[in-house]
Structures are given as structure tokens and as C-alpha cells.
Amino acid sequence: EVQLVESGGDLVQPGGSLRLSCAASGFTFSAYWMNWVRQAPGKGLEWVANIKEDGSEKDYVDSVKGRFTISRDNAMNSLFLQMNSLRAEDTAVYYCGRGYSNSIESWGQGTLVTVSS
Amino acid sequence: QSVLTQPPSVSAAPGQRVTIWCSGSTSNIGDYSVSWYQQLPGTAPKLLIYDNNKRPSGIPDRISGSKSGTSATLGITGLQTGDEADYYCATWDGSLRTYFFGTGTQVTVL
């Protein structure tokens, strides 16, 4: 059974940093693109970033470019999102998701990031 | 804001059919396959349709998807109270190098 478990969400002050993790199990992690998707309170889904199977390609939504970095450790079956220079508008539930054929086929339960002073 | 537009809400009686459209452009829906997601209140999204019209294992055949040109459609027949949720289309945009979700549609069972 595919399992994705996010962690690392917290309350952080504007300008601060946070690192999210996603632990994967039940599948060959190194064979899949992975994604981060977020959802601000009461709002729709917003894709944040993705990373190729071997980590050689990464893409980001414009609003996080230069501030967020996606990475992965295939030996540890883990996905990460390093978030720097956090802003109030980054407040959201962050989901990790396994990519497949231009879709996100499996999702974690999400972790809440709150940016507030 | 999203490059994919959906109606804010649709509704129908139990047992009836609803369709949700998703409008994009040549650089996204026109060039890439579309997926659809269901999000029940307080839960993570769930994939319903990928590659325009394919259903993952476990998704019933009363759920269907189609694509034509720069638009896509999700259909749900035999509507049930458990179908009350938010629905999102999604696809990659090759010009913007961004994966977009649609604006979302709330389905209400009357």
C-alpha cells in the first residue's frame, strides 16, 4: 500500500524558515516524480514544486522561486521542501504527492504551515 | 491565479448526472492530458481521472472524463450524497512550466 506521510509543519514568523519532509513507503520511491501541493485555508489547490526521479530536474510555481527548494533522498525514501523567507501567504496545508502520467495519483494527509507573528 | 477555469458550483438531485467543465488554452489542456481530483471536506485530494479519461483502480465507472481541444469535462452519473465535495481539474502548462489546478467546483446534492 502506498503511504506518504508529511511532517515538519509548524508556526513560524514571517521571514523564517521551515523544512518539510515526506516519508514514502509501499512503492519504489526512486521510480517516481514527486510533488508538493499546498492549500491555503478556504482556498483551492496550488501546485508548488516537483522533482524528477533522480533529482536532476525541478520546477517551481513562480511565487516560491528563489525561496523554496525541493529535494529528495532516494536511499531514505524521503522528499523534502526547504522553505525560506516565509510570508503570510505561504500559510497552507502542504501535501506531498506521487506523480504519474501528468497527474498526482497518491497523496499524503498534509502538514500545516502557519506563517504569523 | 489559475489558467484553468471551472464553474464555482453545480448541483443536482440524487441519482441524476452532473458535468463539470474545465477551460484552458493551447499551452495546457491543448497540449497535455487532464486529470481530475475529488476533495471531500477536511481530507486530502483523491485522483478520479488521469490521461483525460482513465480511472484509477477503485474509481467506479459512473465517473467519466473527456477532453476536446482546450476544454475537458468530468461527468458523474447516479449522484450520491457522498459525492458532495470539491472537484478540481489539473494539467501541466508547457509555456509557464507550471502544473495548474483548476479554480475548483463545489458539487451539491439537492
Side-chain angles (χ1 to χ4, degrees), chain A residues 37 39 43-47 50 57 59-62 65 95 100-105 107-109, chain B residues 32-35 37 39 43-47 50-51 88 90-92 96-102:
Chain A
V37 175
Q39 186 169 36
K43 302 296 184 182
L45 300 172
E46 181 182 41
W47 173 82
N50 66 5
E57 293 182 29
D59 279 298
Y60 301 88
V61 68
D62 281 351
K65 284 178 182 175
Y95 298 99
Y100 177 75
S101 195
N102 202 35
S103 74
I104 299 174
E105 65 169 344
W107 298 68
Q109 85 290 346
Chain B
Y32 297 89
S33 63
V34 176
S35 55
Y37 304 85
Q39 188 176 32
T43 70
K46 175 183 177 181
L47 179 66
Y50 69 99
D51 283 353
Y88 297 89
T91 191
W92 183 254
L96 298 174
R97 290 205 61 79
T98 301
Y99 191 78
F100 283 100
F101 290 93

Side-chain angles (χ1 to χ4, degrees), chain B:
Chain B
Q1 52 270 35
S2 181
V3 299
L4 304 178
T5 305
Q6 299 177 229
S9 63
V10 297
S11 60
Q16 297 299 301
R17 172 185 172 92
V18 294
T19 58
I20 302 170
W21 50 264
C22 174
S23 178
S25 67
T26 54
S27 62
N28 42 70
I29 293 179
D31 270 351
Y32 297 89
S33 63
V34 176
S35 55
W36 289 90
Y37 304 85
Q38 176 195 58
Q39 188 176 32
L40 297 169
T43 70
K46 175 183 177 181
L47 179 66
L48 296 179
I49 294 287
Y50 69 99
D51 283 353
N52 305 323
N53 55 19
K54 296 177 182 174
R55 289 184 304 275
S57 174
I59 302 301
D61 60 6
R62 63 188 188 86
I63 306 292
S64 64
S66 64
K67 183 182 111 169
S68 178
T70 59
S71 293
T73 301
L74 176 74
I76 307 174
T77 60
L79 202 61
Q80 304 170 1
T81 55
D83 295 328
E84 288 203 326
D86 293 325
Y87 293 81
Y88 297 89
C89 60
T91 191
W92 183 254
D93 187 295
S95 294
L96 298 174
R97 290 205 61 79
T98 301
Y99 191 78
F100 283 100
F101 290 93
T103 50
T105 299
Q106 184 177 58
V107 169
T108 300
V109 181
L110 301 173

Side-chain angles (χ1 to χ4, degrees), chain A residues 24-59:
Chain A
S25 61
F27 65 101
T28 304
F29 180 72
S30 60
Y32 291 87
W33 282 75
M34 295 297 295
N35 299 266
W36 286 102
V37 175
R38 68 185 177 182
Q39 186 169 36
K43 302 296 184 182
L45 300 172
E46 181 182 41
W47 173 82
V48 174
N50 66 5
I51 184 168
K52 196 176 179 180
E53 296 95 328
D54 62 359
S56 61
E57 293 182 29
K58 307 172 186 181
D59 279 298

Side-chain angles (χ1 to χ4, degrees), chain A residues 59-90:
Chain A
D59 279 298
Y60 301 88
V61 68
D62 281 351
S63 60
V64 309
K65 284 178 182 175
R67 300 188 300 123
F68 289 12
T69 302
I70 189 172
S71 63
R72 64 192 297 162
D73 183 337
N74 287 342
M76 296 296 293
N77 294 331
S78 294
L79 177 71
F80 305 101
L81 186 67
Q82 177 66 42
M83 304 186 295
N84 299 330
S85 303
L86 282 161
R87 306 166 180 168
E89 53 265 36
D90 296 319

